[in-house]
Amino acid sequence: MFPALKRNNLSTLQVNLGYKCNQACSHCHVDAGPNRTEMMDDETIRLIPRIIEKYKISCLDITGGAPEIHNGFKNLILESNKLGIDIIDRCNLTILTEDGYEDLAQFLADQNVIVTASLPCYEKNNVDKQRGIGVFERSITALKELNKLGYGKNGSNLILNLVYNPIGPCLPPPQKSLELAYKRELLEKFNVYFNNLYTITNMPIKRFAKDLIAKGEYQNYNRLLLESFNSENIDNLMCKYIISVNWKGEIFDCDFNQQLGISINSKLKTLNEILNHDVEWPGKSITVGQHCYGCTAGSGSSCSGSLN
Ligand code: SF4
Ligand code: SF4
């Protein structure tokens, strides 16, 4: 059984604005895609800056789907920026190349938003296989546009992080050495710069799980995660310091629990409820399950990369 976990101080609010996405990647743990219609309503979005203020949260981490598709995306950033916090846009890069999003990169730069972008390989074939034909080239175009604005460059305060996840049913390689390889390859071949590479373990849920089942690899992958359990990662697990919010304004211990519909261990389960009542986060128990071995395997995994 996965060890019991307790929360520390709450520092990050991770908000999923909705499941609509311009892509439909094979590894997506959200099952996001162009036909999804679930999107956060305006009333719920307006609660976010109030929650940040109330609980003195230092980081807003905006995700989706492609969160930029949401009509309230820019306004949420403008309002949250008044609170002087870090804001992360979990960007799929290709959204920057879609019609109607020509001003998006400049907006992110003007608002000093941290861009954390998926690029599961520096090789075209691997990216296109996982994320769709043409995605690699469009991602490079988007990265160049971000670089032009100062993102990822030495001496600039505009932070551009890339996210790697394995193409197949294996654990990510060591983060630091892979970051060096990414930096070398992207600079030499495309003149592209970035700040940090985050390696993330694929979670065997939703579309990735279906893909594993179809290939007969589901059991083996879960066994790999279980057998690679590393207790050194426990103290740094992201559920110790974040809460995850879905498009309905319901709160969860993490994005994975959100996707699995695993409720937070509290009577207060929505943004509205935690706004109207006081929650003492440190010491609260976290709801764990078999999938949690995806966070503790090997070097560990979180939305900010490996854990050790
Ligand atoms: S992995 Fe990201 S870009 Fe791909 S479908 Fe899911 S949300 Fe969209
Ligand atoms: S999936 Fe990972 S982040 Fe979520 S509760 Fe389990 S260990 Fe924590």
Side-chain angles (χ1 to χ4, degrees):
M1 224 167 80
F2 197 82
L5 300 177
K6 293 216 183 298
R7 290 185 160 276
N8 296 331
N9 285 322
L10 176 63
S11 65
T12 299
L13 186 67
Q14 190 174 65
V15 176
N16 191 318
L17 289 185
Y19 301 153
K20 193 174 178 68
C21 188
N22 59 321
Q23 293 182 196
C25 309
S26 63
H27 61 102
C28 186
H29 71 271
V30 183
D31 269 356
N35 298 326
R36 298 299 296 260
T37 53
E38 302 90 336
M39 298 295 252
M40 189 173 277
D41 63 26
D42 293 345
E43 200 183 322
T44 307
I45 288 199
R46 277 196 289 273
L47 300 177
I48 293 167
R50 295 175 65 194
I51 294 284
I52 290 170
E53 223 175 349
K54 170 168 178 166
Y55 288 103
K56 298 185 174 46
I57 287 167
S58 58
C59 178
L60 171 65
D61 187 342
I62 309 174
T63 184
E68 305 87 349
I69 288 177
H70 197 293
N71 286 337
F73 174 77
K74 286 183 179 169
N75 202 42
L76 172 62
I77 289 174
L78 292 169
E79 289 303 311
S80 303
N81 245 345
K82 291 180 189 163
L83 304 172
I85 57 164
D86 289 337
I87 301 178
I88 300 170
D89 173 25
R90 295 210 173 253
C91 179
N92 67 15
L93 292 175
T94 60
I95 193 70
L96 292 162
T97 68
E98 295 279 353
D99 290 345
Y101 294 85
E102 292 80 5
D103 64 344
L104 178 59
Q106 186 67 59
F107 172 82
L108 295 170
D110 291 346
Q111 295 303 314
N112 205 6
V113 172
I114 298 165
V115 175
T116 297
S118 310
L119 190 73
C121 191
Y122 44 74
E123 299 283 355
K124 178 179 182 303
N125 289 350
N126 286 338
V127 173
D128 285 2
K129 192 173 157 204
Q130 191 180 74
R131 295 174 72 77
I133 303 291
V135 167
F136 183 74
E137 267 177 35
R138 291 174 66 196
S139 300
I140 294 294
T141 302
L143 288 170
K144 281 178 176 290
E145 189 184 352
L146 291 167
N147 282 166
K148 218 189 292 171
L149 295 168
Y151 270 103
K153 294 232 168 140
N154 278 343
S156 163
N157 59 351
L158 294 173
I159 303 296
L160 172 59
N161 301 318
L162 296 183
V163 176
Y164 162 90
N165 58 280
I167 306 287
C170 54
L171 296 182
Q175 183 168 277
K176 208 66 216 165
S177 56
L178 190 63
E179 180 181 286
L180 290 175
Y182 259 68
K183 287 198 163 165
R184 188 188 60 238
E185 293 288 322
L186 290 178
L187 183 62
E188 280 177 8
K189 292 190 179 141
F190 306 103
N191 202 27
V192 158
Y193 300 82
F194 67 96
N195 295 96
N196 308 293
L197 180 76
Y198 296 154
T199 57
I200 296 188
T201 303
N202 287 315
M203 196 52 90
I205 62 174
K206 297 278 177 168
R207 197 175 288 144
F208 187 65
K210 284 182 212 150
D211 204 46
L212 290 173
I213 291 165
K215 291 175 179 151
E217 292 167 339
Y218 183 74
Q219 308 287 0
N220 282 348
Y221 186 62
N222 276 298
R223 192 172 313 123
L224 172 69
L225 298 180
L226 180 65
E227 287 172 356
S228 308
F229 175 75
N230 180 354
S231 61
E232 283 175 28
N233 296 320
I234 291 281
D235 285 347
N236 299 324
L237 289 168
M238 64 180 170
C239 47
K240 297 212 158 206
Y241 60 86
I242 74 161
I243 52 172
S244 162
V245 184
N246 73 1
W247 63 281
K248 294 190 225 170
E250 296 164 337
I251 59 169
F252 299 84
D253 284 311
C254 72
D255 189 41
F256 304 121
N257 283 10
Q258 178 189 141
Q259 298 313 321
L260 291 168
I262 299 174
S263 222
I264 197 160
N265 186 14
S266 163
K267 281 187 191 144
L268 310 173
K269 296 187 189 299
T270 67
L271 284 184
N272 231 329
E273 287 167 356
I274 64 169
L275 188 63
N276 293 317
H277 298 85
D278 294 335
V279 181
E280 193 60 39
W281 298 102
K284 274 189 96 58
S285 70
I286 295 165
T287 317
V288 296
Q290 192 69 16
H291 62 292
C292 294
Y293 289 102
C295 295
T296 49
S299 300
S301 181
S302 74
C303 288
S304 309
S306 69
L307 300 177
N308 70 64

